[in-house]
């Protein structure tokens, strides 16, 4: 029996009744493999359209990245818009950006319409700049408004430091469309919605293999089989060799979050906003207040999953004190890790793998809006309602580099981190001269 990790989210989760393990043969229109946000959203879209759905989860509902992430629900994708534009052209980039906004709206509307408990949605995200280049940030704001019809508010040094009491930050952009929330409670709420519409969720039921015969597929687990017309693969960063060529197209990348003790007025003096915050570095810090006076802080990516809580706590405490030295002495109460699936092109795998076989996965570090919209376009395709999934045609199953993939990813990451440090040091030197 799998257990949830020890995180802030599991300490504050709503009751989650354990689901049965699949035994014997069952039939469904669609079998969804993986019970993270991608799988749950796919199942929810499909049952809402009247399809019968069986979902297989290897562990527990939202046991993977979806139940342990930063909880930021923001526009955009893991890949930057400029790169998307270069690869797909302006029109497709605009259409993909619009989809990413629809993904944010799906989550907000689902919480509102179904009164999902314990999700605590809180509006606002600040993107902060750790070096003094406000002109560039204003140009970005203008371009987002002009090319993508997306408004953000520019905050100068005075305004940003009124909200965040640190000399590390120089400028910021505020996104009032994005929000942050409790991702595990959201997923548990969606799981109940699926069941209320007749969908069936099995836990502790990993798919071992998929056997296809004509237009029928048999999804095989250790003790049962799902006989279905369509299969949707939603394994995130946790899928193993049973996913075949899909597994060879993504890299599992680990990332980390800590939760501090209650810090009272010390924290409220350092962080005077309920907005979520992230800097714009390639390897960024991201954080938000929870329970009024605790800091939930995330950062770092590695190809080896560090699980030593003490080491994680030290690593992220250094990051916190680098920005807010006035919090010296803070205690970390929880530290946890999670895996994200990253394709080499940093966009998700959304599309067909063969007749009746679908991928809706590899959402990287930006899945809270993209998994729900990925799920929607796949569900529309299965039901013959739209071909919006074709917007992802340029992002196929590129090889992840095999045994050299992790080393290459870590090298690239270290290189990017050096670029961040270089840019920041140059700006600090410039500021000292003036
Ligand atoms: C620490 C951390 C912080 C993050 N912060 C943010 C954030 O603030 N905002 C944001 O947008 N994104 C964030 N992300 C990324 C986001 O969490 C992911 O992109 C998203 O959760 C992916 O959802 P998923 O359903 O594809 O994968 P997962 O949630 O990982 O779910 C995949 C599921 O598939 C199951 N599975 C695997 N193999 C099998 C099998 N053989 N049979 C059956 N089931 C199987 C797994 O057990 C797992 O439950 C973060 C990720 C991490 C790890």
């Amino acid at each position: 029996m799998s257990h949830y990790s020890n995180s802030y989210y599991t300490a504050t989760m709503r009751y989650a009744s354990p689901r049965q393990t699949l035994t014997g043969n069952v039939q469904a229109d669609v079998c969804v493999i993986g019970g993270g946000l991608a799988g749950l959203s796919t199942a929810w879209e499909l049952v809402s359209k009247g399809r019968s759905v069986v979902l297989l989860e290897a562990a527990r509902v939202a046991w993977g990245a979806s139940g342990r992430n930063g909880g930021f629900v923001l526009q955009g994708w893991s890949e930057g818009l400029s790169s998307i534009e270069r690869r797909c052209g302006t029109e497709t980039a605009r259409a993909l950006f619009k989809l990413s906004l629809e993904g944010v709206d799906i989550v907000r509307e689902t919480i509102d319409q179904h009164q999902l408990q314990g999700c605590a949605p809180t509006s606002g995200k600040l993107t902060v700049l750790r070096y003094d280049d406000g002109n560039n940030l204003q140009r970005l704001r203008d371009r987002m408004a002009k090319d993508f019809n997306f408004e953000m508010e520019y905050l100068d040094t005075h305004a940003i430091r009124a909200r965040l009491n640190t000399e590390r930050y120089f400028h910021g952009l505020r996104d009032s469309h994005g929000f942050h929330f409790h991702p595990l409670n959201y997923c548990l709420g969606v799981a109940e919605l699926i069941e209320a519409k007749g969908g069936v969720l099995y836990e502790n039921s990993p798919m071992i293999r998929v056997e296809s015969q004509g237009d029928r597929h048999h999804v095989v687990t250790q003790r049962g089989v799902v006989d279905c017309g369509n299969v949707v693969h939603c394994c995130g960063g946790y899928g193993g060799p049973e996913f075949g060529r899909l597994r060879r197209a993504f890299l599992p990348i680990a990332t980390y979050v800590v939760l501090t003790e209650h810090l009272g007025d010390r924290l409220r003096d350092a962080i005077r906003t309920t907005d979520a915050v992230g800097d714009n570095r390639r390897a960024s810090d991201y954080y938000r207040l929870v329970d009024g006076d605790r800091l939930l802080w995330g950062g770092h990516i590695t190809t080896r999953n560090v699980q030593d809580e003490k080491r994680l706590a030290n690593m992220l405490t250094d990051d916190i004190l680098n920005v807010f030295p006035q919090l010296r002495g803070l205690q970390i109460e929880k530290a946890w890790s999670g895996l994200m699936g990253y394709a080499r092109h940093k966009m998700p795998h959304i599309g067909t793998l063969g007749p009746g076989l679908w991928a809706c996965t590899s959402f990287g570090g930006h899945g809270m809006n993209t998994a729900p919209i990925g799920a929607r376009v796949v569900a529309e395709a299965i039901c013959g309602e739209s071909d919006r999934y074709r917007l992802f045609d340029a992002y196929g199953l590129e090889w992840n580099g095999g045994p050299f993939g992790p080393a290459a990813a870590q090298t690239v990451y270290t290189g990017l981190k050096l670029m961040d440090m270089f840019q920041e040091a140059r700006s600090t030197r410039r500021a000292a001269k003036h």
Side-chain angles (χ1 to χ4, degrees):
M1 185 74 172
S2 300
H3 297 286
Y4 286 107
S5 67
N6 175 18
S7 74
Y8 169 68
Y9 300 119
T10 49
T12 52
M13 72 195 277
R14 51 188 282 174
Y15 175 70
S17 52
R19 273 96 188 173
Q20 56 186 321
T21 299
L22 175 68
T23 51
N25 283 26
V26 295
Q27 290 212 336
D29 294 331
V30 185
C31 176
V32 175
I33 306 171
L37 186 58
L40 293 163
S41 305
T42 305
W44 171 235
E45 294 284 342
L46 287 163
V47 293
S48 301
K49 294 175 190 297
R51 297 300 188 275
S52 64
V53 177
V54 163
L55 181 148
L56 299 176
E57 164 53 45
R60 304 286 313 271
V61 164
W63 168 91
S66 301
R68 45 174 108 187
N69 58 68
F72 289 29
V73 190
L74 308 172
Q75 40 81 20
W77 301 87
S78 272
E79 179 60 304
L81 277 176
S82 302
S83 307
I84 297 176
E85 236 175 341
R86 275 197 298 279
R87 188 155 175 155
C88 306
T90 306
E91 281 318 302
T92 303
R94 284 187 183 151
L96 285 169
F97 182 73
K98 258 178 91 177
L99 281 190
S100 82
L101 289 175
E102 190 177 332
V104 175
D105 294 337
I106 291 173
V107 180
R108 185 187 283 109
E109 286 164 15
T110 307
I111 296 171
D112 286 352
Q113 272 172 22
H114 301 280
Q115 294 292 302
L116 297 187
Q117 297 303 301
C119 296
T122 310
S123 289
K125 152 85 195 306
L126 292 176
T127 301
V128 292
L129 210 59
R130 289 174 57 118
Y131 47 87
D132 196 0
D133 194 356
N135 291 341
N136 213 0
L137 208 59
Q138 290 178 68
R139 272 196 296 278
L140 173 64
R141 173 203 58 188
D142 295 343
R143 179 168 131 72
M144 289 302 293
K146 183 169 149 287
D147 294 347
F148 295 96
N149 199 19
F150 188 74
E151 304 285 343
M152 283 185 285
E153 181 191 356
Y154 167 72
L155 300 170
D156 64 13
T157 306
H158 177 75
I160 205 75
R161 290 186 183 172
R163 289 164 173 78
L164 299 164
N165 188 4
T166 169
E167 291 185 3
R168 277 274 171 248
Y169 302 150
F170 292 84
H171 308 268
L173 287 182
R174 181 164 195 271
D175 162 6
S176 55
H177 183 252
F179 65 98
H180 53 98
F181 77 148
H182 193 302
L184 178 56
N185 281 342
Y186 178 78
C187 289
L188 294 171
V190 173
E192 285 180 5
L193 294 179
I194 297 164
E195 289 172 323
K197 281 222 185 258
V200 186
L201 311 181
Y202 292 100
E203 294 185 321
N204 293 295
S205 303
M207 171 276 278
I208 296 170
R209 64 181 182 278
V210 178
E211 295 166 353
S212 301
Q213 290 155 2
D215 59 357
R216 297 304 292 177
H217 306 284
H218 288 157
V219 183
V220 182
T221 68
Q222 207 168 16
R223 294 203 269 151
V225 176
V226 185
D227 174 6
C228 57
N230 283 276
V231 183
V232 189
H233 298 75
C234 303
C235 57
Y238 289 90
E242 69 277 16
F243 288 90
R245 68 195 179 99
L246 182 58
R247 173 63 191 88
R248 294 189 289 279
F250 72 83
L251 277 175
I253 302 281
T255 182
Y256 308 97
V257 182
V258 293
L259 173 77
T260 68
E261 63 182 323
H262 288 278
L263 289 163
D265 288 342
R266 288 177 74 199
L267 186 58
R268 284 190 282 263
D269 181 57
I271 300 175
R272 302 163 186 159
T273 174
T274 55
D275 288 354
V277 183
D279 65 59
N280 76 328
R281 288 176 303 170
R282 293 148 186 98
S284 76
D285 297 329
Y286 54 91
Y287 52 92
R288 60 194 184 97
L289 297 187
V290 293
D291 300 341
D293 66 348
R294 308 175 96 174
L295 190 52
L296 190 142
W297 181 288
H300 290 261
I301 55 170
T302 59
T303 50
R304 207 173 48 81
N305 192 358
V306 181
Q307 286 179 327
D308 175 347
E309 286 184 26
K310 200 148 185 233
R311 204 175 135 205
L312 286 183
N314 290 339
M315 199 163 87
L316 275 80
T317 299
D318 287 349
D319 294 347
I320 297 172
L321 296 182
N322 179 274
V323 180
F324 298 109
Q326 65 268 48
L327 296 179
R328 187 159 300 285
L330 63 77
Q331 296 296 317
I332 298 295
E333 289 200 352
K334 292 189 189 298
W336 66 94
S337 68
L339 291 181
M340 311 170 284
Y342 262 98
R344 177 175 281 218
H345 46 58
K346 303 217 284 293
M347 285 295 276
H349 291 120
I350 293 177
T352 57
L353 298 167
L357 299 172
W358 299 86
C360 180
T361 192
S362 312
F363 293 96
H366 205 112
M368 290 296 100
N369 63 321
T370 57
I373 187 59
R376 177 168 286 176
V377 301
V378 168
E380 286 171 358
I382 289 174
C383 298
E385 291 176 2
S386 92
D387 63 354
R388 295 204 287 173
Y389 76 96
R390 302 296 305 260
L391 286 166
F392 297 89
D393 276 359
Y395 297 103
L397 299 186
E398 288 172 9
W399 184 54
N400 65 9
F404 306 110
Q410 192 69 55
T411 309
V412 169
Y413 172 68
T414 307
L416 293 173
K417 235 165 100 174
L418 286 174
M419 279 167 66
D420 286 333
M421 284 161 66
F422 174 72
Q423 208 161 11
E424 206 173 313
R426 196 175 50 184
S427 125
T428 312
R429 269 202 312 275
R430 270 197 202 138
K433 268 192 206 158
H434 293 133

